[in-house]
Amino acid sequence: MTNTRRLQLVTPWAVALGLFVIWETSCRLFNVAPYVLPRPTLIFKTMYQFHGQILDHSLHTLFTTFIGFVLAVIGGLLIGLAVGASRFVYIGLYPVMIGFNSIPKVALVPVIVIWFGIGTVPAIITACSIAFFPIAVNIATGLATIEPEMRDVLRSLGATRWEILTKVGIPRSMPYLFASLKIAITLSFIGSVISETIASNKGIGYLMLSASSRFDVPLVFAGLVVVGAMGIAMYAICVVVEQRMTRWAFRSQELVG
Amino acid sequence: MQPTPLVAIRDVSLTYGHGEDGVLAVQNLTLDIAKGDFVAVVGPSGCGKSSLMKLVTGLVPPTTGEIRVAGEKVTRPIRGVGMAFQNSTLMPWRTTLDNIMLPFEIVEPHKRRLRAEKAKYVAQAEQLLATVGLSNFGKKFPWELSGGMQQRANLCRALVHQPELLMLDEPFGALDAFTREELWAVMQNLWLQKHFTAVLVTHDLREAVYLSDTVYVISHRPGRVIYKAKVDLPRPRTLETTFDAKFIDIVHRLRARISHELNT
């Protein structure tokens, strides 16, 4: 039991380390130029060298990601509740939502820049616009899959629609919400970085863009690694929150484990 | 016969869907349920037994005919009925005790008083849990309980606000035979203590005869009452009663009636 647990903790690190080792040796073996594909050791060296800048820009990206994410949660929650609770809103709004979600957000950034100028605001809006969709859809699904019998029990007690929503609908869709947060946070992060890459003078996306225009490929890769690491960290936080908040939905795993 | 029965079903028909596609679930059903009676409704599957539940509670309006509960015509979900289904429908995010407190949060006048008199209501719920043998399980989540325990808790939730009318839709259907028979006794005790009116929909004839005063047999879809059996066995009935000649005789007659229905 404890052995498998330990193994579960170690494995992801071992896999990442293994990938870096293969990468490093291949680069050295085939003599790949650092401006084509820099070696991991060089990347980490660059990371250390520019850690001040990288930290500064990363924090900015984290900030826009977080604000965009929070707005997406609020918006997604409201839209999801409306779509899930009312058939008319569902029929009316759902196609529009799908249409909006199909638009690549890269194409949207220039428009947002025209409206709000470059920098923080477009990053936040892009993050939000890309992240709200899975939240809204999941909440709506949670509401739509309430057992009819559960609804009947409440209706026969004389519950109003509002009471059914608050007593069953919302708690019932919480696991769906928290499951979607994991996806939403990474999407929000992608949105931020995209927007920074196109139109910003701050943030990790901007850092990578300006580095690549200087052919400073190791710094670009340093940025990519940081982006990946931050993505994992935010996902992990969401997983912890999910398991804390909706312990009842994980009951089967608990009983087995 | 009392002059005004608690539930009066008069010539009720129910059609699901519209026009050509409509399915006639219940046809010209007339049934009286006196206050304090325990009535069972049995019949082949798909005979509209569950429709009957929904009609009486007002969850589904009848297509024709009328239903009166306590003298008032049912036009929308009537308040404060207790309902229990085969699937226990306890909320997994609430503890068992909180599940049982649910009716207090919805049904007046409890809803208004709940905040101020919380302790009183919790005591009431815990006492009910104790009656069905779940004294120390209030803090547990429903999914930590066995199927039989969940169904006990389900009965508690249906009864905690002391409804006049309890509707049971195959509440013991998913349980194993031993647990089921155990819960018959639990159910009977609750009924003997609290004197509510109960309607039990089931396909288990022994269950119907064990628990009820009157058993109605409903025909194949569209459902009509085709047979009515009075069960005048003394209470409290025990498992021994189920081996009594009189008990077996009633079950036999019901069984014969349903077989006849299935073969026609």
Side-chain angles (χ1 to χ4, degrees):
Chain A
M1 183 61 209
T2 45
N3 261 341
T4 25
R5 258 197 94 77
R6 209 170 294 149
L7 203 65
Q8 276 178 358
L9 282 174
V10 171
T11 315
W13 294 99
V15 170
L17 192 70
L19 280 174
F20 281 132
V21 169
I22 295 169
W23 182 351
E24 180 82 26
T25 41
S26 335
C27 282
R28 283 176 188 277
L29 214 61
F30 302 110
N31 235 341
V32 183
Y35 58 83
V36 176
L37 181 66
R39 290 176 280 114
T41 44
L42 184 62
I43 294 170
F44 287 119
K45 212 180 109 194
T46 318
M47 235 149 111
Y48 179 72
Q49 201 180 340
F50 293 98
H51 70 272
Q53 276 185 13
I54 292 177
L55 190 71
D56 195 30
H57 287 289
S58 307
L59 285 179
H60 185 77
T61 305
L62 270 186
F63 169 74
T64 52
T65 303
F66 184 71
I67 302 290
F69 175 70
V70 169
L71 293 177
V73 171
I74 296 168
L77 205 64
L78 292 178
I79 294 173
L81 287 177
V83 168
S86 155
R87 201 168 154 67
F88 278 104
V89 180
Y90 172 81
I91 293 169
L93 205 58
Y94 212 63
V96 181
M97 269 169 67
I98 291 173
F100 181 76
N101 189 50
S102 313
I103 299 172
K105 297 304 168 305
V106 192
L108 215 60
V109 177
V111 183
I112 302 172
V113 170
I114 291 172
W115 293 344
F116 297 102
I118 65 159
T120 313
V121 179
I124 291 174
I125 293 176
T126 316
C128 174
S129 69
I130 205 172
F132 89 96
F133 188 75
I135 299 175
V137 169
N138 269 31
I139 291 277
T141 311
L143 288 183
T145 51
I146 296 173
E147 294 89 338
E149 290 172 344
M150 189 101 87
R151 199 188 291 267
D152 282 352
V153 166
L154 268 100
R155 283 180 64 201
S156 68
L157 289 170
T160 58
R161 275 176 72 112
W162 176 251
E163 278 171 330
I164 294 176
L165 186 70
T166 52
K167 301 237 181 270
V168 188
I170 294 177
R172 174 84 178 48
S173 47
M174 279 306 109
Y176 291 84
L177 168 69
F178 285 106
S180 73
L181 292 191
K182 291 184 290 193
I183 302 161
I185 189 83
T186 30
L187 285 179
S188 166
F189 190 52
I190 291 171
S192 275
V193 176
I194 285 179
S195 172
E196 287 165 1
T197 314
I198 298 174
S200 182
N201 44 24
K202 199 111 205 269
I204 198 92
Y206 165 74
L207 178 76
M208 287 189 290
L209 187 78
S210 64
S212 76
S213 64
R214 282 182 277 116
F215 285 100
D216 189 352
V217 181
L219 187 55
V220 175
F221 272 85
L224 288 175
V225 171
V226 170
V227 168
M230 290 198 315
I232 294 173
M234 285 184 285
Y235 187 92
I237 291 169
C238 283
V239 170
V240 171
V241 171
E242 181 186 10
Q243 287 176 342
R244 280 276 162 96
M245 300 299 288
T246 52
R247 201 170 71 89
W248 58 270
F250 289 92
R251 54 194 185 268
S252 54
Q253 283 171 26
E254 234 167 60
L255 290 177
V256 174
Chain B
M1 261 291 154
Q2 280 166 294
T4 44
L6 181 67
V7 180
I9 303 171
R10 289 280 169 275
D11 207 21
V12 162
S13 299
L14 174 68
T15 315
Y16 284 114
H18 296 282
E20 298 273 303
D21 301 329
V23 177
L24 193 59
V26 173
Q27 192 180 34
N28 302 76
L29 192 75
T30 297
L31 204 77
D32 276 349
I33 299 164
K35 194 169 160 50
D37 254 9
F38 201 122
V39 168
V41 176
V42 298
S45 65
C47 69
K49 287 175 296 192
S50 298
S51 301
L52 180 69
M53 303 274 299
K54 293 194 173 183
L55 283 167
V56 173
T57 49
L59 293 174
V60 176
T63 314
T64 59
E66 77 167 22
I67 296 162
R68 286 175 180 275
V69 173
E72 262 178 68
K73 192 172 170 187
V74 177
T75 48
R76 57 198 174 88
I78 51 174
R79 300 191 135 255
V81 184
M83 267 189 132
F85 295 97
Q86 173 171 349
N87 166 345
S88 71
T89 63
L90 296 168
M91 301 172 176
W93 55 88
R94 287 173 173 238
T95 61
T96 304
L97 183 67
D98 284 342
N99 261 295
I100 289 161
M101 298 287 287
L102 178 78
F104 290 145
E105 296 169 22
I106 295 172
V107 179
E108 296 287 5
H110 310 297
K111 191 174 155 185
R112 247 177 297 138
R113 296 181 196 154
L114 182 60
R115 207 179 282 265
E117 300 170 41
K118 185 94 191 241
K120 192 191 94 185
Y121 282 111
V122 170
Q124 215 171 316
E126 271 172 348
Q127 200 209 331
L128 188 59
L129 272 175
T131 349
V132 299
L134 287 178
S135 301
N136 296 315
F137 291 93
K139 292 273 181 302
K140 293 239 187 250
F141 284 93
W143 37 273
E144 294 173 307
L145 306 180
S146 69
M149 287 169 157
Q150 286 181 22
Q151 225 29 283
R152 285 165 199 248
N154 193 15
L155 290 178
C156 287
R157 183 181 62 183
L159 287 170
V160 74
H161 56 299
Q162 307 192 317
E164 251 189 306
L165 185 60
L166 177 68
M167 305 296 287
L168 302 160
D169 191 350
E170 297 186 20
F172 315 123
L175 303 174
D176 63 274
F178 298 115
T179 314
R180 199 182 308 158
E181 286 168 357
E182 223 177 290
L183 285 194
W184 293 350
V186 170
M187 185 71 245
Q188 180 179 241
N189 280 339
L190 285 170
W191 182 73
L192 288 173
Q193 278 174 30
K194 304 197 186 286
H195 309 292
F196 47 84
T197 309
V199 180
L200 168 72
V201 165
T202 179
H203 52 236
D204 184 336
L205 299 179
R206 292 173 62 239
E207 179 173 300
V209 177
Y210 182 107
L211 283 171
S212 62
D213 303 315
T214 315
V215 183
Y216 288 95
V217 178
I218 303 272
S219 70
H220 222 287
R221 185 170 276 189
R224 284 167 290 112
V225 176
I226 50 167
Y227 188 68
K228 176 181 171 184
K230 279 265 168 212
V231 184
D232 45 5
L233 298 165
R235 306 246 187 200
R237 296 166 193 161
T238 62
L239 271 187
E240 275 310 308
T241 317
T242 65
F243 300 107
D244 192 292
K246 209 168 168 188
F247 184 98
I248 293 169
D249 180 51
I250 299 171
V251 173
H252 263 169
R253 270 186 288 145
L254 290 169
R255 179 68 245 180
R257 205 67 194 75
I258 288 175
S259 301
H260 177 71
E261 177 61 21
L262 282 175
N263 294 328
T264 47

